[in-house]
Each structure stands twice: as structure tokens, then as C-alpha cells.
Amino acid sequence: VGTVPVAEGKSVQQTVELLARRLEALGAEKQGTFGVDCETYHTAATLGTQGQTGKLMYVMHNSEYPLSCFALFENGPCLVADANFDTLMVKLKGFFQNAKANKIESRGTRYQYCDFLVKLGTVTMGPSARGISVEVEYCPCVIANDCWNLLMEFMQSFMGSHTPGIPSVFGSKHDSTYSPGDTMVQYMELFNKIRKQQQVPVAGIR
Amino acid sequence: MADGALSPGVNLEAFSQAIAAIQALRSSVTRVFDCLKDGMRNKETLEGREKGFVAAFQESLHSVSRDLGELERLSNLVGKPSENHPLHNSGLLSLDPVQDKTPLYSQLLQAYKWSNKLQYHAGLASGLLNQQSLKRSANQMGVSAKRRPKAQPTTLVLPPQYVDDVISRIDRMFPEMSIQLSRPNGTSAMLLVTLGKVLKVIVVMRSLFIDRTIVKGYSENVYTEDGKLDIWSKSNYQVFQKVTDHATTALLHYQLPQMPDVVVRSFMTWLRSYIKLFQAPCQRCGKFLQDGLPPTWRDFRTLEAFHDTCRQ
């Protein structure tokens, strides 16, 4: 239940392989692939007051939930809709414009270790690989805060010192039930972070 | 051939006589029915016909009863051959010529040996168990290993009202635990215990005795397709399968046949300690994970969390 970018001095490809090897050494089993993608939409200038930049909306898909489509505003609400939400967006062209160049996605392999689900993905934007995403989910537990320590320990076992801090969504959740939307919020934040450091192709450790 | 094997205690002479008597009896019975079938005929006067028929009928009935008497006398002479065989009537199975096709007799002997052995071991076991006074078999003083029929007559007939009472009192005792009671099949209660947002437990009761528990995740479905509680399938997650095992162990540990309500209460208290299943580190190694599992064991007395392999 967390998404984590790791990029090191080596190439993205090498790092992914290294992580995969460590996971397999732990005893994790490969379980096919996964993919998360994200498209950006601008609110059309006509709607907002002149001069003010329009709000950004992100439309995301997750192969884990093939029938759903997630629409998120930055810091805003997360809308979970059926997959044909995409066609609706085409109809709303007048209000929301698709920023084609900004499409970003993460694809990779899905691993299972006991009750943990690990998704190791390469984040690509256009043709170039920009970073690595690691999603770790502990399926039996529905309250993220409860199992954070457990997750930490697990992540340390294969990510070493690159273990991330507690994701911000956890803070606001307290003890309500974790939902797929929360995962998407984390992916959105991760993608935004990666986008911002476009200028530095080989990034340091985050 | 068969008769030869039985010969020691059997009067063969009487046997053949008895067979002859049976044949005689059958023929005389046949005659009765023949006579009835033929009816009254071949006589000139009505009176003559009736008289002749009655006489013939009487005579044939007499012969039937005579033959029957004879047969009874002979059957006493024949005696009871099976008494002599060590395995009583089942011994006759060994004489069955179709034995080559059906290994019934050898299987029977095998089963007999097994049951003998079982009885012996059960006797030893009950002797040993009786020395441990706080365990499940505590109050069985007899040698038999059948624990339930002896232990439960009093506690099995508790009125459902009382069971409801005990359960609802426990429900009120633990605010983070909600208990749903249902009786889908007769008087036995089934409980669905939801512990915080961590897990759900299905408890099958017999009166106030807990027969079976299954632990599942909070997000897992506990009902079958037709809306009943699903008491057979396991959890999909390894953690809860492990906890199910431990809960079954706890059932066997908490036993006090005289006070079943105390047993249920202590079991629930123990179960409640799982509210921190994902938050408590192991008390021995201080870690959260071991082989990918959190500390699933809770000590029966102190309720401290341990990994399965870290407990004593």
C-alpha cells in the first residue's frame, strides 16, 4: 500500500533488475505484469478567469482495476468511474483539453510474497524511461496506518536504505478503510514528482 | 463342503432329516393351495360336493401342521452351529465360496484387529489425560475415551435463552468487538465476530461449547452464495489461515466443562488481543515480520504477541 520511486546513478533498467533479483531471493513469485497510466487534462481557458492557470485534472487507469477509471484533481477529490469515462472526456473537449505530451505511465512486473503484493514498474514518459516505481501492498489489512511498520520492515528487506517515508495519504486517513483511489493518489503524486525533475534525466535518490 | 466345516457340533443326521421335513412341508402346503384352487367339482349333489371339499381341505391342513411340528422338533436337534465359531455369525463369511472375488472376510478381520487396538490405546490415552485436570477431558473419570457423551449431558441442554444472554454480555464487554448471533440450523448458534477492522471470526457453537472457528480478513466475504455463513472455506490470506490454526489451539486450551460461559469469555478475551495483529511486534525478536508473516501467536495467559516460531 505505497508507491515508491527509486532511481540511482545506474541506468533505470539495471536498478529494476537489481530489485527484481532481491525480491526473488526473498522468495517472491512472479505473477504477470501490471500497468498504470495517467493522462493530464487542462481546464479550458474560457472557463477560468483570464490569466489564471487552469486547474489540472488527471485521468488514470490501473490494470489492477480494469473496469474502473480514476479522475483526480491535484489535492482534490478522487473520482472513481467506469472505464467508459474516457469517452465522456472526449465529449467534454470544450472544457477539458488533453495535454497529449504529458502522458506518463508505469509498467512492470507483479510479485507475490506471502500476503504481500509488490509491483515493480518503470515509469516512462513519451519514449524515455524516467524512474522506477515500487508499489507494496499488504492485502490482509484494510487500514494503512495499522500495517505501516510492517510494510517498512518488509520494504527495508529488499530496498535497503531507499525505503520511503510514510505517504501523505496515510496521514489524512487515520483509521478509515484503504481504497484503490488512495493508491492512485500516490501514483499521481509520484508521477508529478518525476515530471518536475524532467530536466535532470539521471536523478539522485528519492 | 460347507456342512463338513461345521461338523464338530452339528448333528448331520438331523440336518438331512430337517431338509426332508422342509420338503414335506412345502409339498403339503402346495396341496392345500391346489385343493383351494380346484374348488368343489366332480360331485353329483351340492351337499356331497361341500362335504368332499371340506374333508379334503381339513386333511391337507392337518398334514401341514404335522409337517411343521416335525420340522420344529428337528430344528431343535440341529442346534446352533454358529455358536461354536470364534467370530460368531461373521465367521460364516469365511465359508462363502465367493470369497475369492470379495475380500470381505479378510477386511473384516483387519477391522476387528484395528478396533481392538484402538480400544486399547484409547484406554491408555484416557488414563493419561485424566491426570491433567484442567484440560478438555478433565472430568472423565471412566476408562472410556468417549469424552463428549459423558461430559456434556448437563451443559448441552442449556436453554438458547441462556446462551443468548452469555453472548450478549460478552458483546457488551468488548466495545471493539461486535458479535452477531444466528441459528440457521436448529438450536446450535453461529457467531460472526468482527474485531475492529482487522478480522472476522466465524464461531460454530454447540450450546455453550465452541465447536469450530474460522478466521478471515476484514475485507473477505464470509457468506456463501445463498446468503448463509460460510463455515467451511478457509481465508485467502496466509496470515488468517495461521490465526485460524492458533484459534483452534486456543479452543482446546480453554476448557472448563463445569463453567462453559467462562470458557467462551476467556476465548473471546484471547481473540480480542488480535486487534493489534498488524501493529504489535514480536515480544521475543522485536521484529514485525518473519517469513512474511506478522506475529500471529498470542500467549494464552499474557496475551503477548509472538511469531509462531518465537514462542516457547
Side-chain angles (χ1 to χ4, degrees):
Chain A
V1 198
T3 316
V4 182
V6 178
E8 291 175 14
K10 297 176 214 164
S11 82
V12 170
Q13 194 62 39
Q14 279 171 326
T15 322
V16 171
E17 270 169 22
L18 180 76
L19 283 172
R21 235 178 297 129
R22 280 199 208 149
L23 269 176
E24 271 162 25
L26 263 181
E29 279 172 31
K30 246 187 210 170
Q31 279 213 322
T33 56
F34 84 102
V36 177
D37 62 57
C38 171
E39 286 177 68
T40 318
Y41 288 86
H42 298 286
T43 48
T46 47
L47 268 184
T49 25
Q50 292 297 323
Q52 189 187 330
T53 41
K55 251 189 171 175
L56 293 177
M57 188 172 92
Y58 303 96
V59 176
M60 307 177 72
H61 302 95
N62 189 339
S63 60
E64 208 62 10
Y65 311 100
L67 292 183
S68 299
C69 181
F70 302 85
L72 301 96
F73 285 105
E74 221 161 340
N75 305 322
C78 168
L79 176 82
V80 184
D82 275 0
N84 47 15
F85 184 74
D86 292 325
T87 40
L88 181 69
M89 285 310 287
V90 175
K91 291 231 172 87
L92 291 176
K93 239 185 243 169
F95 306 101
F96 293 103
Q97 278 156 2
N98 192 346
K100 278 269 185 300
N102 267 338
K103 177 160 176 162
I104 188 164
E105 61 179 6
S106 168
R107 294 197 176 277
T109 327
R110 196 168 174 267
Y111 290 91
Q112 182 158 24
Y113 172 64
C114 286
D115 297 328
F116 289 97
L117 213 57
V118 183
K119 291 176 202 161
L120 210 56
T122 322
V123 182
T124 50
M125 194 169 151
S128 56
R130 303 234 169 223
I132 297 166
S133 74
V134 179
E135 180 189 338
V136 182
E137 187 179 346
Y138 187 60
C139 304
C141 186
V142 291
I143 298 166
N145 281 320
D146 280 5
C147 61
W148 177 245
N149 288 324
L150 210 118
L151 278 174
M152 279 282 276
E153 198 176 294
F154 176 60
M155 288 188 289
Q156 270 160 7
S157 67
F158 72 97
M159 285 156 65
S161 56
H162 305 314
T163 312
I166 188 159
S168 58
V169 268
F170 283 26
S172 56
K173 298 283 285 184
H174 295 296
D175 48 1
S176 56
T177 321
Y178 190 85
S179 70
D182 299 328
T183 310
M184 299 319 278
V185 171
Q186 292 178 51
Y187 267 109
M188 179 187 76
E189 284 168 358
L190 166 75
F191 287 159
N192 281 343
K193 230 193 234 167
I194 289 181
R195 232 182 250 126
K196 272 176 201 140
Q197 35 107 235
Q198 273 176 29
Q199 287 77 19
V200 200
V202 183
I205 301 147
R206 270 166 302 145
Chain B
M1 181 184 74
D3 288 346
L6 289 170
S7 56
V10 180
N11 188 348
L12 276 186
E13 195 65 26
F15 241 118
S16 57
Q17 278 174 17
I19 290 170
I22 288 170
Q23 279 165 349
L25 178 62
R26 288 178 65 137
S27 72
S28 59
V29 169
T30 316
R31 239 176 292 131
V32 170
F33 286 108
D34 275 346
C35 161
L36 281 174
K37 183 187 73 189
D38 290 347
M40 311 175 275
R41 59 182 182 192
N42 300 332
K43 292 283 171 5
E44 292 79 26
T45 64
L46 184 71
E47 211 173 295
R49 270 191 275 175
E50 273 184 359
K51 218 178 239 170
F53 175 72
V54 168
F57 188 57
Q58 230 163 23
E59 196 208 331
S60 49
L61 277 184
H62 274 309
S63 67
V64 167
S65 76
R66 196 181 55 235
D67 290 345
L68 196 63
E70 177 75 5
L71 182 61
E72 263 171 6
R73 190 181 60 80
L74 285 170
S75 69
N76 284 334
L77 281 183
V78 167
K80 291 178 185 164
S82 53
E83 288 288 304
N84 306 315
H85 203 274
L87 286 181
H88 299 278
N89 284 332
S90 56
L92 295 174
L93 265 178
S94 68
L95 307 172
D96 196 348
V98 288
Q99 205 236 15
D100 296 339
K101 281 177 223 154
T102 52
L104 207 56
Y105 184 64
S106 53
Q107 281 172 356
L108 185 79
L109 287 182
Q110 205 75 24
Y112 182 70
K113 263 188 232 161
W114 268 97
S115 88
N116 257 354
K117 248 190 248 174
L118 182 70
Q119 203 170 9
Y120 174 68
H121 287 293
L124 289 181
S126 89
L128 284 173
L129 285 174
N130 272 332
Q131 295 166 2
Q132 328 234 329
S133 56
L134 271 176
K135 294 290 150 62
R136 177 169 263 222
S137 340
N139 67 343
Q140 270 93 74
M141 296 311 164
V143 278
S144 98
K146 298 179 223 148
R147 50 173 192 218
R148 290 193 185 280
K150 281 201 164 175
Q152 296 192 352
T154 45
T155 42
L156 260 185
V157 292
L158 291 172
Q161 199 63 47
Y162 177 70
V163 179
D164 286 3
D165 245 34
V166 171
I167 299 298
S168 70
R169 227 177 305 136
I170 294 172
D171 192 12
R172 263 175 279 137
M173 222 161 80
F174 307 119
E176 64 276 50
M177 204 152 136
S178 83
I179 304 180
Q180 247 177 300
L181 188 142
S182 62
R183 290 200 163 81
N185 304 312
T187 50
S188 297
M190 283 187 359
L191 311 181
L192 175 62
V193 184
T194 310
L195 181 62
K197 281 184 179 171
V198 179
L199 47 81
K200 287 177 181 171
V201 190
I202 298 171
V203 181
V204 182
M205 313 266 296
R206 220 158 46 129
S207 173
L208 264 182
F209 277 81
I210 302 176
D211 259 9
R212 178 181 171 86
T213 57
I214 294 187
V215 183
K216 289 195 172 188
Y218 181 76
S219 52
E220 283 187 280
N221 188 14
V222 288
Y223 293 98
T224 53
E225 276 164 14
D226 51 353
K228 289 182 186 157
L229 274 180
D230 185 0
I231 59 168
W232 301 114
S233 64
K234 304 190 282 188
S235 167
N236 288 327
Y237 300 119
Q238 292 182 20
V239 196
F240 295 121
Q241 290 173 16
K242 202 85 186 161
V243 177
T244 304
D245 291 349
H246 293 327
T248 312
T249 320
L251 283 191
L252 296 171
H253 177 85
Y254 292 117
Q255 278 304 324
L256 206 60
Q258 288 82 7
M259 287 182 280
D261 52 329
V262 176
V263 172
V264 179
R265 198 156 2 115
S266 36
F267 175 71
M268 292 296 180
T269 313
W270 176 82
L271 199 63
R272 193 180 59 122
S273 60
Y274 278 106
I275 191 114
K276 296 243 182 257
L277 175 61
F278 301 118
Q279 297 171 53
C282 171
Q283 294 296 307
R284 171 164 290 215
C285 65
K287 284 188 178 163
F288 286 95
L289 289 174
Q290 192 181 66
D291 299 329
L293 292 172
T296 49
W297 175 259
R298 295 290 181 277
D299 191 88
F300 289 135
R301 217 163 290 147
T302 57
L303 303 181
E304 283 170 333
F306 289 102
H307 287 124
D308 196 14
T309 44
C310 287
R311 63 188 229 235
Q312 278 84 1

